[in-house]
Amino acid sequence: MAFNLDEKYIVECEKELGAKLPSSYRDAMLSANGGAIDVAGDSWELHPIFDKSDRKRISRTCNHIITETKSSREWEGFPSDALTIASNGCGDNIVFLKSENTYNDELYIWSHETRKLTKVANKFTEVACL
């Protein structure tokens, strides 16, 4: 279930990541933190940005992008510069790739079976939110 997000939590997330998130993604998360997207004919669960404003939001955002990225990095071949923002429940992830101190706009699917990246969008606004 998606819900709005205070920008201070995005800023905290970016500080912890040591990099800025793409503006199209940031804007989308401000109005709908979490939810689902349709990419490449598959439904993907968006990992929220951690929101510690109250107990309910802490519970709803415990699978946030930083936690999910740390978990993804345990997979052999997961790119060290990738940030997991969504998963399909089968081990594959939608990721952004980092250049220096910024995550690029392009979205990729990382396949856990092939350990390869496939570009699926030039920016977050190109994917359909469900």
mmCIF file of all heavy atoms in Angstrom, residues 28-62:
data_model
loop_
_atom_site.group_PDB
_atom_site.id
_atom_site.type_symbol
_atom_site.label_atom_id
_atom_site.label_comp_id
_atom_site.label_asym_id
_atom_site.label_seq_id
_atom_site.Cartn_x
_atom_site.Cartn_y
_atom_site.Cartn_z
ATOM 1 N N ALA A 28 8.054 10.796 -7.247
ATOM 2 C CA ALA A 28 7.033 9.739 -7.155
ATOM 3 C C ALA A 28 6.894 9.229 -5.724
ATOM 4 O O ALA A 28 5.775 9.006 -5.245
ATOM 5 C CB ALA A 28 7.375 8.593 -8.104
ATOM 6 N N MET A 29 8.009 9.055 -5.025
ATOM 7 C CA MET A 29 7.963 8.529 -3.660
ATOM 8 C C MET A 29 7.348 9.529 -2.682
ATOM 9 O O MET A 29 6.734 9.135 -1.702
ATOM 10 C CB MET A 29 9.358 8.127 -3.179
ATOM 11 C CG MET A 29 9.959 6.930 -3.907
ATOM 12 S SD MET A 29 8.958 5.422 -3.820
ATOM 13 C CE MET A 29 8.132 5.454 -5.403
ATOM 14 N N LEU A 30 7.478 10.815 -2.949
ATOM 15 C CA LEU A 30 6.856 11.813 -2.077
ATOM 16 C C LEU A 30 5.342 11.639 -2.031
ATOM 17 O O LEU A 30 4.724 11.797 -0.975
ATOM 18 C CB LEU A 30 7.193 13.231 -2.551
ATOM 19 C CG LEU A 30 8.607 13.705 -2.257
ATOM 20 C CD1 LEU A 30 8.888 15.023 -2.977
ATOM 21 C CD2 LEU A 30 8.822 13.863 -0.754
ATOM 22 N N SER A 31 4.731 11.275 -3.159
ATOM 23 C CA SER A 31 3.276 11.126 -3.186
ATOM 24 C C SER A 31 2.809 9.682 -3.018
ATOM 25 O O SER A 31 1.686 9.444 -2.601
ATOM 26 C CB SER A 31 2.700 11.712 -4.475
ATOM 27 O OG SER A 31 3.213 11.036 -5.587
ATOM 28 N N ALA A 32 3.674 8.729 -3.329
ATOM 29 C CA ALA A 32 3.278 7.318 -3.226
ATOM 30 C C ALA A 32 4.498 6.473 -2.873
ATOM 31 O O ALA A 32 5.133 5.887 -3.753
ATOM 32 C CB ALA A 32 2.650 6.837 -4.525
ATOM 33 N N ASN A 33 4.816 6.407 -1.597
ATOM 34 C CA ASN A 33 5.973 5.663 -1.099
ATOM 35 C C ASN A 33 5.609 4.186 -1.002
ATOM 36 O O ASN A 33 4.907 3.768 -0.105
ATOM 37 C CB ASN A 33 6.382 6.212 0.271
ATOM 38 C CG ASN A 33 7.655 5.594 0.794
ATOM 39 O OD1 ASN A 33 8.505 5.158 0.039
ATOM 40 N ND2 ASN A 33 7.789 5.586 2.110
ATOM 41 N N GLY A 34 6.090 3.416 -1.951
ATOM 42 C CA GLY A 34 5.749 1.996 -1.989
ATOM 43 C C GLY A 34 4.736 1.724 -3.085
ATOM 44 O O GLY A 34 4.623 2.484 -4.037
ATOM 45 N N GLY A 35 4.031 0.633 -2.977
ATOM 46 C CA GLY A 35 3.048 0.266 -3.993
ATOM 47 C C GLY A 35 3.647 -0.721 -4.989
ATOM 48 O O GLY A 35 4.509 -1.522 -4.645
ATOM 49 N N ALA A 36 3.187 -0.624 -6.230
ATOM 50 C CA ALA A 36 3.636 -1.559 -7.262
ATOM 51 C C ALA A 36 3.753 -0.839 -8.592
ATOM 52 O O ALA A 36 3.108 0.187 -8.816
ATOM 53 C CB ALA A 36 2.661 -2.724 -7.377
ATOM 54 N N ILE A 37 4.589 -1.410 -9.467
ATOM 55 C CA ILE A 37 4.758 -0.884 -10.816
ATOM 56 C C ILE A 37 4.687 -2.033 -11.801
ATOM 57 O O ILE A 37 4.923 -3.189 -11.448
ATOM 58 C CB ILE A 37 6.092 -0.113 -10.988
ATOM 59 C CG1 ILE A 37 7.294 -0.974 -10.578
ATOM 60 C CG2 ILE A 37 6.057 1.194 -10.220
ATOM 61 C CD1 ILE A 37 8.647 -0.324 -10.829
ATOM 62 N N ASP A 38 4.361 -1.704 -13.043
ATOM 63 C CA ASP A 38 4.351 -2.680 -14.129
ATOM 64 C C ASP A 38 5.558 -2.400 -15.003
ATOM 65 O O ASP A 38 5.694 -1.304 -15.551
ATOM 66 C CB ASP A 38 3.059 -2.561 -14.943
ATOM 67 C CG ASP A 38 2.983 -3.579 -16.065
ATOM 68 O OD1 ASP A 38 3.455 -4.720 -15.872
ATOM 69 O OD2 ASP A 38 2.468 -3.232 -17.141
ATOM 70 N N VAL A 39 6.453 -3.375 -15.106
ATOM 71 C CA VAL A 39 7.656 -3.241 -15.923
ATOM 72 C C VAL A 39 7.855 -4.541 -16.701
ATOM 73 O O VAL A 39 7.807 -5.625 -16.113
ATOM 74 C CB VAL A 39 8.907 -2.966 -15.050
ATOM 75 C CG1 VAL A 39 10.165 -2.920 -15.900
ATOM 76 C CG2 VAL A 39 8.737 -1.679 -14.266
ATOM 77 N N ALA A 40 8.056 -4.408 -17.990
ATOM 78 C CA ALA A 40 8.340 -5.561 -18.855
ATOM 79 C C ALA A 40 7.275 -6.650 -18.708
ATOM 80 O O ALA A 40 7.583 -7.836 -18.688
ATOM 81 C CB ALA A 40 9.736 -6.108 -18.587
ATOM 82 N N GLY A 41 6.014 -6.237 -18.574
ATOM 83 C CA GLY A 41 4.914 -7.187 -18.490
ATOM 84 C C GLY A 41 4.814 -7.929 -17.179
ATOM 85 O O GLY A 41 4.099 -8.924 -17.076
ATOM 86 N N ASP A 42 5.502 -7.467 -16.168
ATOM 87 C CA ASP A 42 5.489 -8.125 -14.867
ATOM 88 C C ASP A 42 5.139 -7.093 -13.792
ATOM 89 O O ASP A 42 5.441 -5.911 -13.934
ATOM 90 C CB ASP A 42 6.876 -8.713 -14.580
ATOM 91 C CG ASP A 42 6.858 -9.863 -13.582
ATOM 92 O OD1 ASP A 42 5.779 -10.192 -13.053
ATOM 93 O OD2 ASP A 42 7.933 -10.439 -13.331
ATOM 94 N N SER A 43 4.523 -7.538 -12.716
ATOM 95 C CA SER A 43 4.198 -6.666 -11.597
ATOM 96 C C SER A 43 5.347 -6.728 -10.590
ATOM 97 O O SER A 43 5.798 -7.816 -10.220
ATOM 98 C CB SER A 43 2.895 -7.123 -10.941
ATOM 99 O OG SER A 43 2.595 -6.302 -9.851
ATOM 100 N N TRP A 44 5.808 -5.563 -10.158
ATOM 101 C CA TRP A 44 6.940 -5.448 -9.247
ATOM 102 C C TRP A 44 6.513 -4.684 -7.997
ATOM 103 O O TRP A 44 5.911 -3.634 -8.093
ATOM 104 C CB TRP A 44 8.083 -4.696 -9.928
ATOM 105 C CG TRP A 44 8.594 -5.371 -11.150
ATOM 106 C CD1 TRP A 44 8.013 -5.355 -12.391
ATOM 107 C CD2 TRP A 44 9.757 -6.162 -11.265
ATOM 108 N NE1 TRP A 44 8.763 -6.095 -13.258
ATOM 109 C CE2 TRP A 44 9.840 -6.602 -12.601
ATOM 110 C CE3 TRP A 44 10.762 -6.539 -10.377
ATOM 111 C CZ2 TRP A 44 10.871 -7.404 -13.066
ATOM 112 C CZ3 TRP A 44 11.796 -7.337 -10.839
ATOM 113 C CH2 TRP A 44 11.847 -7.761 -12.171
ATOM 114 N N GLU A 45 6.850 -5.212 -6.835
ATOM 115 C CA GLU A 45 6.562 -4.532 -5.580
ATOM 116 C C GLU A 45 7.664 -3.514 -5.316
ATOM 117 O O GLU A 45 8.843 -3.865 -5.230
ATOM 118 C CB GLU A 45 6.510 -5.540 -4.436
ATOM 119 C CG GLU A 45 6.234 -4.901 -3.107
ATOM 120 C CD GLU A 45 6.310 -5.890 -1.957
ATOM 121 O OE1 GLU A 45 6.113 -7.090 -2.176
ATOM 122 O OE2 GLU A 45 6.575 -5.430 -0.834
ATOM 123 N N LEU A 46 7.271 -2.246 -5.197
ATOM 124 C CA LEU A 46 8.234 -1.192 -4.885
ATOM 125 C C LEU A 46 8.616 -1.260 -3.414
ATOM 126 O O LEU A 46 7.750 -1.387 -2.550
ATOM 127 C CB LEU A 46 7.641 0.191 -5.161
ATOM 128 C CG LEU A 46 7.633 0.664 -6.594
ATOM 129 C CD1 LEU A 46 6.778 1.918 -6.728
ATOM 130 C CD2 LEU A 46 9.048 0.925 -7.073
ATOM 131 N N HIS A 47 9.904 -1.180 -3.150
ATOM 132 C CA HIS A 47 10.364 -1.091 -1.767
ATOM 133 C C HIS A 47 10.282 0.374 -1.363
ATOM 134 O O HIS A 47 10.754 1.245 -2.096
ATOM 135 C CB HIS A 47 11.789 -1.613 -1.643
ATOM 136 C CG HIS A 47 11.940 -3.011 -2.136
ATOM 137 N ND1 HIS A 47 11.196 -4.069 -1.664
ATOM 138 C CD2 HIS A 47 12.735 -3.529 -3.099
ATOM 139 C CE1 HIS A 47 11.529 -5.168 -2.294
ATOM 140 N NE2 HIS A 47 12.461 -4.863 -3.172
ATOM 141 N N PRO A 48 9.694 0.649 -0.237
ATOM 142 C CA PRO A 48 9.537 2.047 0.177
ATOM 143 C C PRO A 48 10.849 2.642 0.680
ATOM 144 O O PRO A 48 11.854 1.945 0.846
ATOM 145 C CB PRO A 48 8.515 1.956 1.311
ATOM 146 C CG PRO A 48 8.743 0.597 1.883
ATOM 147 C CD PRO A 48 9.116 -0.283 0.722
ATOM 148 N N ILE A 49 10.804 3.919 0.932
ATOM 149 C CA ILE A 49 11.868 4.620 1.640
ATOM 150 C C ILE A 49 11.460 4.613 3.112
ATOM 151 O O ILE A 49 10.288 4.829 3.439
ATOM 152 C CB ILE A 49 12.039 6.041 1.077
ATOM 153 C CG1 ILE A 49 12.579 5.938 -0.356
ATOM 154 C CG2 ILE A 49 12.936 6.881 1.971
ATOM 155 C CD1 ILE A 49 12.614 7.236 -1.116
ATOM 156 N N PHE A 50 12.411 4.327 3.993
ATOM 157 C CA PHE A 50 12.105 4.174 5.405
ATOM 158 C C PHE A 50 11.478 5.445 5.976
ATOM 159 O O PHE A 50 11.991 6.541 5.803
ATOM 160 C CB PHE A 50 13.372 3.822 6.192
ATOM 161 C CG PHE A 50 13.127 3.475 7.630
ATOM 162 C CD1 PHE A 50 12.254 2.452 7.981
ATOM 163 C CD2 PHE A 50 13.774 4.162 8.639
ATOM 164 C CE1 PHE A 50 12.036 2.122 9.303
ATOM 165 C CE2 PHE A 50 13.561 3.844 9.974
ATOM 166 C CZ PHE A 50 12.690 2.825 10.302
ATOM 167 N N ASP A 51 10.337 5.267 6.646
ATOM 168 C CA ASP A 51 9.572 6.365 7.244
ATOM 169 C C ASP A 51 9.363 6.024 8.717
ATOM 170 O O ASP A 51 8.652 5.087 9.053
ATOM 171 C CB ASP A 51 8.228 6.499 6.522
ATOM 172 C CG ASP A 51 7.347 7.617 7.050
ATOM 173 O OD1 ASP A 51 7.568 8.094 8.181
ATOM 174 O OD2 ASP A 51 6.410 7.997 6.333
ATOM 175 N N LYS A 52 10.010 6.785 9.587
ATOM 176 C CA LYS A 52 9.920 6.509 11.017
ATOM 177 C C LYS A 52 9.024 7.484 11.758
ATOM 178 O O LYS A 52 9.193 7.717 12.956
ATOM 179 C CB LYS A 52 11.313 6.479 11.635
ATOM 180 C CG LYS A 52 12.128 7.716 11.424
ATOM 181 C CD LYS A 52 13.538 7.520 11.939
ATOM 182 C CE LYS A 52 14.378 8.742 11.597
ATOM 183 N NZ LYS A 52 15.767 8.535 11.864
ATOM 184 N N SER A 53 8.028 8.049 11.058
ATOM 185 C CA SER A 53 7.157 9.051 11.673
ATOM 186 C C SER A 53 6.220 8.476 12.735
ATOM 187 O O SER A 53 5.829 9.182 13.658
ATOM 188 C CB SER A 53 6.354 9.807 10.612
ATOM 189 O OG SER A 53 5.579 8.923 9.839
ATOM 190 N N ASP A 54 5.849 7.199 12.620
ATOM 191 C CA ASP A 54 5.037 6.554 13.651
ATOM 192 C C ASP A 54 5.185 5.038 13.509
ATOM 193 O O ASP A 54 5.769 4.549 12.546
ATOM 194 C CB ASP A 54 3.565 6.994 13.585
ATOM 195 C CG ASP A 54 2.871 6.659 12.280
ATOM 196 O OD1 ASP A 54 3.019 5.520 11.776
ATOM 197 O OD2 ASP A 54 2.174 7.532 11.738
ATOM 198 N N ARG A 55 4.653 4.305 14.469
ATOM 199 C CA ARG A 55 4.809 2.839 14.485
ATOM 200 C C ARG A 55 4.255 2.173 13.226
ATOM 201 O O ARG A 55 4.839 1.234 12.701
ATOM 202 C CB ARG A 55 4.124 2.245 15.707
ATOM 203 C CG ARG A 55 4.867 2.443 16.961
ATOM 204 C CD ARG A 55 4.125 1.783 18.097
ATOM 205 N NE ARG A 55 4.953 1.797 19.283
ATOM 206 C CZ ARG A 55 4.718 1.067 20.342
ATOM 207 N NH1 ARG A 55 3.683 0.256 20.362
ATOM 208 N NH2 ARG A 55 5.517 1.142 21.374
ATOM 209 N N LYS A 56 3.110 2.643 12.783
ATOM 210 C CA LYS A 56 2.482 2.045 11.608
ATOM 211 C C LYS A 56 3.373 2.209 10.374
ATOM 212 O O LYS A 56 3.568 1.277 9.610
ATOM 213 C CB LYS A 56 1.108 2.685 11.374
ATOM 214 C CG LYS A 56 0.279 1.986 10.341
ATOM 215 C CD LYS A 56 -1.120 2.578 10.308
ATOM 216 C CE LYS A 56 -2.034 1.781 9.433
ATOM 217 N NZ LYS A 56 -3.389 2.317 9.421
ATOM 218 N N ARG A 57 3.932 3.395 10.193
ATOM 219 C CA ARG A 57 4.796 3.632 9.032
ATOM 220 C C ARG A 57 6.132 2.896 9.159
ATOM 221 O O ARG A 57 6.670 2.436 8.168
ATOM 222 C CB ARG A 57 4.992 5.118 8.814
ATOM 223 C CG ARG A 57 3.687 5.744 8.345
ATOM 224 C CD ARG A 57 3.911 7.012 7.640
ATOM 225 N NE ARG A 57 2.619 7.541 7.199
ATOM 226 C CZ ARG A 57 2.484 8.358 6.204
ATOM 227 N NH1 ARG A 57 3.536 8.762 5.531
ATOM 228 N NH2 ARG A 57 1.301 8.797 5.860
ATOM 229 N N ILE A 58 6.640 2.785 10.362
ATOM 230 C CA ILE A 58 7.856 1.993 10.550
ATOM 231 C C ILE A 58 7.596 0.560 10.104
ATOM 232 O O ILE A 58 8.387 -0.034 9.376
ATOM 233 C CB ILE A 58 8.334 2.046 12.022
ATOM 234 C CG1 ILE A 58 8.888 3.432 12.348
ATOM 235 C CG2 ILE A 58 9.375 0.966 12.301
ATOM 236 C CD1 ILE A 58 9.172 3.664 13.826
ATOM 237 N N SER A 59 6.467 0.012 10.522
ATOM 238 C CA SER A 59 6.103 -1.350 10.148
ATOM 239 C C SER A 59 5.925 -1.495 8.634
ATOM 240 O O SER A 59 6.382 -2.467 8.034
ATOM 241 C CB SER A 59 4.812 -1.749 10.868
ATOM 242 O OG SER A 59 4.367 -2.995 10.430
ATOM 243 N N ARG A 60 5.268 -0.522 8.013
ATOM 244 C CA ARG A 60 5.006 -0.569 6.570
ATOM 245 C C ARG A 60 6.259 -0.371 5.719
ATOM 246 O O ARG A 60 6.256 -0.714 4.549
ATOM 247 C CB ARG A 60 3.986 0.489 6.179
ATOM 248 C CG ARG A 60 2.595 0.185 6.594
ATOM 249 C CD ARG A 60 1.692 1.281 6.112
ATOM 250 N NE ARG A 60 0.306 0.940 6.291
ATOM 251 C CZ ARG A 60 -0.689 1.723 5.961
ATOM 252 N NH1 ARG A 60 -0.451 2.905 5.423
ATOM 253 N NH2 ARG A 60 -1.933 1.349 6.153
ATOM 254 N N THR A 61 7.289 0.231 6.299
ATOM 255 C CA THR A 61 8.482 0.532 5.502
ATOM 256 C C THR A 61 9.716 -0.234 5.956
ATOM 257 O O THR A 61 10.838 0.106 5.575
ATOM 258 C CB THR A 61 8.780 2.050 5.514
ATOM 259 O OG1 THR A 61 9.054 2.482 6.849
ATOM 260 C CG2 THR A 61 7.635 2.852 4.928
ATOM 261 N N CYS A 62 9.543 -1.284 6.742
ATOM 262 C CA CYS A 62 10.699 -2.033 7.241
ATOM 263 C C CYS A 62 11.471 -2.734 6.115
ATOM 264 O O CYS A 62 12.641 -3.046 6.267
ATOM 265 C CB CYS A 62 10.295 -3.014 8.332
ATOM 266 S SG CYS A 62 9.190 -4.309 7.783
#
